[in-house]
Amino acid sequence: MNRNPAVLAMDLGTNTFRWLWRDKSAASVRRGREVIGLGRGLAENGQINESEIAVAEQVLNEWRPGNRVIPPAQLVLAAGTHALRVAANRSAVTERLGRALGSPISIIEPEREASLTFRGAATSVQPGVQRWAVLDIGGGSTELAAGTGQECDFRISIPIGVVTHSAESDEPLSASVARVGEVVERALDDVYNVSPSGMFENLQLERLASNCGTSSALALRNSGQEEYHREALDGARIGVAWLVDFVAEHGGRPATGWDDVPGVGRSRGQLIGPGIGILLTMLQAAGVGSWTNTESGLLEGLADELLDSLPDNQTGKAP
């Protein structure tokens, strides 16, 4: 009998693939990530491109549990989000990726994604706070989940993301922020018949958190550090006024002009403007003076759910 079994959770996102390996005692935790850009072709042709599929297959083959990258795990759950939900060729892609990983790919619906993100973020946000929400800005969709304590009672998903609404190479930051902010307002009205301010008025939040690459990049810039350190950025509070000043300072910088900026760089240059557009729209609508950056979210929620379902003597793959 394995008295300390382990689980492996994977978040196969529109832009980034991430994994979290954790044993049941929580004595050992390992993480990894790789930027794939799986959803780059969605806006153009509604499909996932062959070039990105090939990269994803190679990465997932290397990530097979028990190979040199990731230790063995008794339960494995690889969750596909927006790109794998909406792509016209999603069935063929998920089958290929499942073969590469050696484990089936599970497509999770937006509402479940939001709830799991809330669960995963709770440990770094909730202590001392009652009513709160977490905003997860992804590559193809944005989820907002709210609740009291660790109980999620509100969740939405809008089909707006930093990859599917990425900036053109010469689009300046200020233009990206304004463009995507308007798209968010229209999407909320179209999907939920509500304005951003009307939505937050009903939620009555004490705190708003964000778990996404945009928030992490901004937390790094706000800290003045040159390199990413998860522990230093998890739970960091960043002022909305600082973000407004950041946009004003860098407003003329084109999407290809971020190579020298730690936390952004070339890989996030076309994504930072759209990400800020979504984040700032939500922050200003919420009427909060700051937000909490959390490095925990969907991946941690998935792992927690797996651990809850794993007796010490259970082996196999998650359904």
Side-chain angles (χ1 to χ4, degrees):
M1 179 185 297
N2 186 350
R3 298 188 179 279
N4 191 25
V7 299
L8 172 64
M10 288 187 179
D11 170 12
L12 309 183
T14 304
N15 188 52
T16 306
F17 282 13
R18 302 179 300 140
W19 61 268
L20 170 62
W21 182 95
R22 181 186 293 170
D23 64 25
K24 196 168 180 68
S25 70
S28 183
V29 178
R30 302 187 189 184
R31 301 174 184 274
R33 66 190 296 274
E34 190 76 36
V35 175
I36 305 294
L38 192 70
R40 288 176 185 147
L42 289 177
E44 180 179 349
N45 55 32
Q47 298 193 58
I48 296 173
N49 293 331
E50 177 59 35
S51 56
E52 277 71 50
I53 298 171
V55 172
E57 285 181 308
Q58 180 180 351
V59 167
L60 291 181
N61 186 263
E62 293 173 355
W63 286 1
R64 278 185 178 234
N67 284 357
R68 58 186 179 85
V69 176
I70 302 176
Q74 279 63 54
L75 281 180
V76 178
L77 177 56
T81 56
H82 178 80
L84 290 173
R85 280 196 295 261
V86 305
N89 56 342
R90 59 186 175 274
S91 296
V93 175
T94 54
E95 183 178 349
R96 288 175 60 177
L97 298 188
R99 285 200 304 269
L101 180 62
S103 183
I105 308 300
S106 299
I107 308 301
I108 60 173
E109 294 305 310
E111 293 76 13
R112 183 167 181 240
E113 181 180 353
S115 295
L116 287 166
T117 300
F118 185 89
R119 175 175 182 172
T123 53
S124 60
V125 178
Q126 190 270 328
V129 177
Q130 291 300 310
R131 190 76 183 159
W132 65 284
V134 59
L135 180 71
D136 182 10
I137 303 169
S141 66
T142 294
E143 282 71 42
L144 179 73
T148 300
Q150 297 188 25
E151 296 297 323
C152 180
D153 56 36
F154 173 91
R155 56 198 65 80
I156 65 165
S157 177
I158 55 175
I160 308 297
V162 297
V163 173
T164 52
H165 291 77
S166 62
E168 297 293 335
S169 59
D170 60 347
E171 184 179 39
L173 177 70
S174 58
S176 295
V177 171
R179 170 177 60 84
V180 177
E182 292 175 359
V183 172
V184 170
E185 293 186 359
R186 289 198 302 270
L188 279 172
D189 185 43
D190 290 344
V191 179
Y192 295 100
N193 194 29
V194 67
S195 67
S197 59
M199 176 180 65
F200 282 107
E201 183 178 358
N202 294 330
L203 290 178
Q204 297 292 302
L205 301 177
E206 295 177 41
R207 185 170 299 177
L208 180 61
S210 186
N211 166 250
C212 59
T214 296
S215 183
S216 294
L218 292 170
L220 181 64
R221 300 309 313 132
N222 180 256
S223 72
Q225 300 177 50
E226 296 296 313
E227 296 182 359
Y228 172 84
H229 296 287
R230 176 186 174 88
E231 296 77 11
L233 301 182
D234 190 37
R237 298 285 292 278
I238 306 105
V240 177
W242 174 86
L243 180 55
V244 171
D245 289 343
F246 180 87
V247 174
E249 178 184 355
H250 298 281
R253 191 187 291 257
T256 53
W258 294 88
D259 291 12
D260 61 332
V261 181
V264 184
R266 180 173 300 180
S267 65
R268 191 163 289 279
Q270 291 181 282
L271 311 181
I272 190 67
I276 293 175
I278 299 170
L279 178 60
L280 189 56
T281 298
M282 294 296 198
L283 290 168
Q284 292 175 333
V288 294
S290 65
W291 83 93
T292 299
N293 176 65
T294 172
E295 295 298 302
S296 297
L298 174 60
L299 201 58
E300 288 71 22
L302 286 166
D304 287 347
E305 188 175 83
L306 284 176
L307 286 169
D308 284 349
S309 67
L310 180 63
D312 287 346
N313 62 349
Q314 182 175 342
T315 60
K317 302 244 177 17

